[in-house]
Amino acid sequence: GVETVGPRSDRSDAGDVPALAANPKSVIGAVNDASEQLRAMDEVVSAFDDKGLVAADRNKEMSDDFWTMNHMKLLYLISKYSHCAQTVHEKERWIRKLPMLVLIYEGIVQKVFEYDYAPASEVVETTRVYLNVSQEGKDDLDDLVEGKLVKGLRLSTKEHQSVTAYQISPSGLALISKRLPDEERQLVDDLCIVDGKLLQVVWEDKRFLLRTMTFSRESTVTDAEDVSYVVSPYLPKTLRRVGGPIMSSNAHRASESATKESTIRDDLDEVITISNVTILIGEWIPFGANQVVELNLKLGSNERCQGGYFTAQVDDDSTNTQCEVPTGLTSVSILDHDMTRFTNIEAEVYYPEDEGIVQIEHFGIHTRMDGTIVYGLMIESVMDRILENISLDNLARLLVDVHVDSSRIMESLLSNHQRDLLDMIFLGNTLNRDKVNVIIADRVVPKMSAERYLDKDAFENELRQVLGDTQEAHDLGDHDIVITGSHGIMLIGPHSKMQEPVMLAFLSLRSRDVFVHNVFNRLFIIDDTLKTTRQLIAKYEQDPNSIPRIRHTLSETSKDIILLEEVLLYLRESLEQDTSIYAEPTDESGYRLYQVLKVKTILNDLHVRIEDMQKVLLGARHEVNGLRQMADTIAETQMFRLQEEIRGNSSDMLQQLKINERQSTSLDVMQVIFAGSLAFDILDRLTGEWSVVHTAWARAYIVDPFMSKPMLWFIISMMVWFGVGTGVFSMMRDLNDRTAGVITYRVKVNKGIDLNALDDFLSRKSVISEDGDADSLNANQKVSWIEKDVSRWEGYQPKIEMIYDVKHGFLLSVYMQVTRRASKPARLRPETMKMRFFTELQEAGVMAPDDAAEVIDNTRRRQTRQGELVTIEDSSVFLKVRVPGERHYREIPFGRQSYLELREEIAHKFECKPVQVLQVFKEPDILIADDDDVSRLKPGTVLEVNIKNFSGYKSAQQELPAPP
């Protein structure tokens, strides 16, 4: 259970620094012995020469004694997943680096490999994910490649990421057959083989799976381990205003983490420890003067009660009494600010942690108009280490927490537009966006010259956990050293904090460099999207949905290009705003650090890269315009083809109409002939010579009076023909008249509906047809029925057709049709049909009252002479109505919109049906017959109505005085 400090034990036989004893009392002495031994070495193992190039000794041949058992097992694992083709007919097999890292982690968990691991940021497809990566395993992979036991293959993915694949070489196969024992092979086989099948590493649903055809389990490689720690907020003095408030300190709480736990599943080997650690984390976010002002207003910087608790959740119901927010808030307090230039705040994170884990996260945050964001913190304690001897293994896990939690803090403080910009750049994965670390410490154990830390072994592996791939190491003097890496720098020494201005300049520029790299990757994705779109345009005839998809893709790409142009403009302006912060220091140590960090070079490179990306973005915009023109040309071509088809169909329809017209004439002639044949058949039935004419009564009443007279029977036949023909034509005219009159009304609704209430409503209707039409966006349903309640529809039976979207719950359109006699006046108007139907939908709970009222109010309103709208809400204005013979009046609200609505109101007042209201007169004898007559009525007008079968007539007549 005691952690040992020193290089891995499996390297002790290779001439490296010897492993330290497990006894804690001998740790310091062993570390000092290791330092002296390294200083005495004649040859310094350095990853880089004085020109920054890869040292030549990387390619030197290594003896068989150099390879440890971990090398052998790693080589055997690669052999299981790779194959070197021996003939031209065989296929090469390689294993990619990312699955290899997952398998190495699983081997550590299963005690196959004696490695450490720590969370590190890796790109999986287009997503940045924190994985438990073994830097020692990666180092051994590099050893195998350098020793030519493994071949390395560089590939470029469709996401424009560079990946490495590995394949065992013939010399590697020969080595493991000679050096690897059977029991060690069995350990590797148990790791990668299940039921005789080789496990495959699969990335699916943002997790790694180990899978065969019959087996699958989830890997815990993405589960970042937590450690207990206490940190205090920190910001460099150069970022603060003189006389500002003193920052908070959690030093009195440092002991809280010592009694708590961690979720680390492995025994850690500590090689390097540092003391009195301060961390600056930087990133660049598009900012400007207006964004800084908005941030200060959001924080209440000028208010009496500044800061408060913040969350990234958007309030969608701001008028409601209560609101609910998820757990995990951020408490913010203002330190100092300038409304348009910068803001300095303290942010304390209250995110829930696993049971037994204590994480007191208290950051200092500096936001500047040029987009530089600096998160500063002082480490008070990590686990049981208070200030002193902080392990880099634990520090790596702390940095992952700080990176993720700082992203959450900024998400709650940024504006919606800034969040949109970040979502576009990072493809929605903004929480895991990469940042730059600057680690400052007073002391390091073991203490030695800078280049000795880059030993391609234990020391360098430890540093890679917090700095990424190490690059250079330099001595800044007798006591201070700086080590640079892909994810930041580490500055160690008693005078390290004196170089804060140079480190802040580096942090600001390097943060932009990281952001520019992400922007450039986004440009690659846009370029790939445009190439795919061009291919779709070239093959548009193969896919009927290609044109809508092309238009949508071009629209989204054009939006992304607009946002990218804005981001590049922010980047260019940020480099030009205040160049004094990039000035060369005057002191020797600061100038040395300035040169080591290459501040001026990074600044010049950023100018060149941003200008270059603007050219690429301009080309992408021209490409979008060209593709849009091509899509428009295709659409015009399709429209032309459609017009040609319509023209051809119209010609066919015209020809068919002419044929139908000739057939109609022929049909009329046939009807006449049919009537004659029918008439003659009737006469034949009456006077058929085979039966009737030979009877005595037929001779007396038919043959002698009619048939024996010349031409008389012929005249009678013609008269019967005329009578039968007239009857046939009258019957046909009556049948046509019943269906010749049509009342139709089509309403485009587009209102939300309750689908459950609609199903209940339709269950009470006699549905005659249902039709569905669905695609990837909508699922439309069309239903038709015939109303059976003739009393509600003035004796008619309207056919109603409704189209609604069952996917989103919207009523799209309604079509109503009434078939009536053309020879009689209509008893129902289209506006009335619409009003009654939507009122019924409202009563059934299908539509909300406000939506139904809005649709009903779209009918034409009555207007007064002055053009004013008159509504029925003014209940103090009435019309006076009575039936003939009544002495009293009945009042109805003034302001009816149409003649039919006036009839309905009168029928309601007299408790009868609207069809019984036969006539309406304006006294003394002016007939009210249409909407125009109704519009000329004034409040208080006396109306007299004739109502069919109204019982009030009789009582009214009885009240009249008797005539003299």
Side-chain angles (χ1 to χ4, degrees), residues 792 834-844 852 856:
R792 185 180 181 88
K834 182 177 77 169
M835 183 180 67
R836 292 184 181 180
F837 177 72
F838 284 99
T839 301
E840 185 179 6
L841 288 183
Q842 174 188 342
E843 294 172 349
I856 293 174

Side-chain angles (χ1 to χ4, degrees), residues 516-530:
V516 166
H517 179 72
N518 286 287
V519 172
F520 193 63
N521 288 338
R522 193 66 178 83
L523 287 176
F524 270 123
I525 295 175
I526 287 180
D527 181 68
D528 188 64
T529 302
L530 294 178

Side-chain angles (χ1 to χ4, degrees), residues 554-615:
L554 291 178
S555 175
E556 292 296 319
T557 305
S558 180
K559 182 185 71 174
D560 291 343
I561 289 176
I562 292 173
L563 295 178
L564 282 170
E565 288 175 341
E566 181 181 353
V567 168
L568 290 181
L569 186 60
Y570 275 119
L571 278 168
R572 189 181 65 185
E573 290 179 350
S574 70
L575 293 176
E576 299 171 352
Q577 284 177 359
D578 186 6
T579 58
S580 62
I581 60 176
Y582 313 123
E584 296 180 354
T586 56
D587 60 295
E588 181 180 354
S589 139
Y591 181 76
R592 171 68 173 158
L593 181 61
Y594 187 88
Q595 295 297 326
V596 168
L597 298 181
K598 303 175 183 178
V599 175
K600 185 66 69 175
T601 302
I602 297 176
L603 179 61
N604 295 332
D605 289 347
L606 284 174
H607 280 289
V608 175
R609 294 179 65 186
I610 291 172
E611 184 178 355
D612 179 67
M613 285 193 296
Q614 287 177 331
K615 297 175 184 177

